[in-house]
Amino acid sequence: MATARPPGRGCRALPGWLLGAALLLGLRLCMELHREGPGSPGRRDPPGPPRPHLLPPPGPPRSARRRQVTYVRSGRRALPRGGGTTTPEPSCCTLRGLPRRKIACDHMGTDSLATDSSPATKPWLVCLDDRFGLAHQIRSKRCRLYSLGLGSDDTHFEVSMANDGCEVHRFDPSVKSAHVLESQRLWHHRLSIDWRDPHPAVAAQKPHSNTRKLGSILNEFGHHKIDILKADLESAEWKVLENLILEDVLEQIGQLVFEIHLHWPGFEVSGSESSVVRFWYSLLKELEQRDFRLFHTHKDVSKPQLFLKKDIFNASSCYTLSWVNTRWK
């Protein structure tokens, strides 16, 4: 004999069962969506053209709105302005990522206007191709060379350029007198080129202070252009180069011949290895953006094989790099 069920009990139990299942299913969907997030690879849009509300807002990409020189911490490639090819960002312990877009210079030299027979053995070289105008300036005796140093006794390059017809100004704080005329075209100045001028309070106490920015020296000497700027500043070159970039002094320079040092970050440059390399990279990239092109490199094999205090095989802690301003007239 069948047992009779109370009326209405089964009808109320079925909706409760369905309600519990619906709650579990909703919780699971919420957890899945939270774990994947919007736009994650786990979510797939239906096939067909993108829906209007998923399209990005009009305008240039975010990377194009920022300054061209970026400090990317990863090895990813940054999107250049206007598209095109990309330049790999530098890693923390190598120079492979640094901008090195070289151009060919058919005539390089230091001694007279003859082409050097072995330019790879000479650290201080200038480009004498007619298209850049330096050879014409030398022949017409209108060439001007600034040499920045710190106690160096090697003046062969300066003497040679003076004999060729350049007006040479050598700046070195170790010079005994304030201004010395060694020959008809070679001056020695007891001045040190820095990336900042002395503090006004210090300048007031020492009106003849021997530290100046290059821009201040140009104004003081009444020189508007330098055909060649040579610098051997023993790790101060990075901050001096930064100052030349920030104050637009580069526009007044035809060729740069810089000795760079890599065994430590340099004066007033600090941070992690990757941040130091990004700082160096940004300066060299700025040179490239201002139409300076590298035409010669020289590795000093006599110096320790150090890069930011680390031993690097077949490297050097000192290089001489030469650039020419392709817009120089």
Side-chain angles (χ1 to χ4, degrees), residues 191-202:
L191 288 169
S192 175
I193 304 300
D194 206 340
W195 54 92
R196 60 194 169 199
D197 283 330
H199 191 275
V202 177

Side-chain angles (χ1 to χ4, degrees), residues 68-299:
Q68 184 68 19
V69 176
T70 56
Y71 302 89
V72 181
R73 290 178 171 80
S74 66
R76 293 178 297 178
R77 297 170 180 261
L79 180 65
R81 184 175 301 175
T85 58
T86 58
T87 302
E89 295 292 339
S91 59
C92 66
C93 302
T94 180
L95 286 180
R96 295 176 183 174
L98 295 181
R100 297 183 63 181
R101 186 184 299 174
K102 293 183 71 172
I103 64 170
C105 180
D106 298 327
H107 303 89
M108 291 186 289
T110 54
D111 297 320
S112 66
L113 292 179
T115 304
D116 201 307
S117 58
S118 55
T121 63
K122 303 286 185 180
W124 309 107
L125 291 178
V126 294
C127 184
L128 298 172
D129 287 1
D130 289 335
R131 55 180 169 154
F132 300 126
L134 178 59
H136 174 73
Q137 292 290 94
I138 295 175
R139 294 189 190 99
S140 59
K141 309 298 182 182
R142 293 185 298 176
C143 166
R144 180 177 293 126
L145 163 67
Y146 271 31
S147 174
L148 319 180
L150 294 173
S152 175
D153 295 329
D154 183 8
T155 60
H156 179 269
F157 177 77
E158 290 81 359
V159 171
S160 174
M161 297 303 295
N163 292 336
D164 288 341
C166 278
E167 172 191 336
V168 178
H169 296 269
R170 179 174 174 262
F171 299 89
D172 194 321
S174 64
V175 175
K176 295 182 180 180
S177 300
H179 305 283
V180 178
L181 180 62
E182 179 178 317
S183 63
Q184 183 180 2
R185 295 183 175 275
L186 178 56
W187 285 89
H188 299 269
H189 307 280
R190 191 175 58 196
L191 288 169
S192 175
I193 304 300
D194 206 340
W195 54 92
R196 60 194 169 199
D197 283 330
H199 191 275
V202 177
Q205 297 177 359
K206 298 181 179 180
H208 302 291
S209 174
N210 63 348
T211 300
R212 303 276 201 287
K213 294 186 298 185
L214 183 60
S216 301
I217 293 291
L218 289 171
N219 292 332
E220 186 176 324
F221 283 26
H223 295 160
H224 302 290
K225 287 187 176 183
I226 306 173
D227 294 282
I228 308 164
L229 177 63
K230 175 205 170 191
D232 182 5
L233 297 174
E234 303 299 334
S235 298
E237 65 276 357
W238 295 110
K239 293 296 291 183
V240 169
L241 182 57
E242 180 189 39
N243 172 257
L244 300 183
I245 292 171
L246 293 177
E247 298 192 357
D248 294 326
V249 182
L250 287 177
E251 299 177 356
Q252 301 171 255
I253 301 172
Q255 296 191 26
L256 291 173
V257 188
F258 265 56
E259 184 176 271
I260 64 170
H261 301 84
L262 308 175
H263 60 287
W264 72 297
F267 292 102
E268 294 196 11
V269 180
S270 60
S272 63
E273 291 179 349
S274 58
S275 63
V276 169
V277 174
R278 286 197 302 272
F279 173 69
W280 293 347
Y281 173 88
S282 68
L283 297 180
L284 301 183
K285 191 65 177 177
E286 287 282 358
L287 286 178
E288 188 175 276
Q289 291 180 345
R290 283 163 169 77
D291 296 309
F292 278 81
R293 294 294 179 264
L294 192 69
F295 66 87
H296 177 66
T297 61
H298 174 80
K299 178 172 70 173

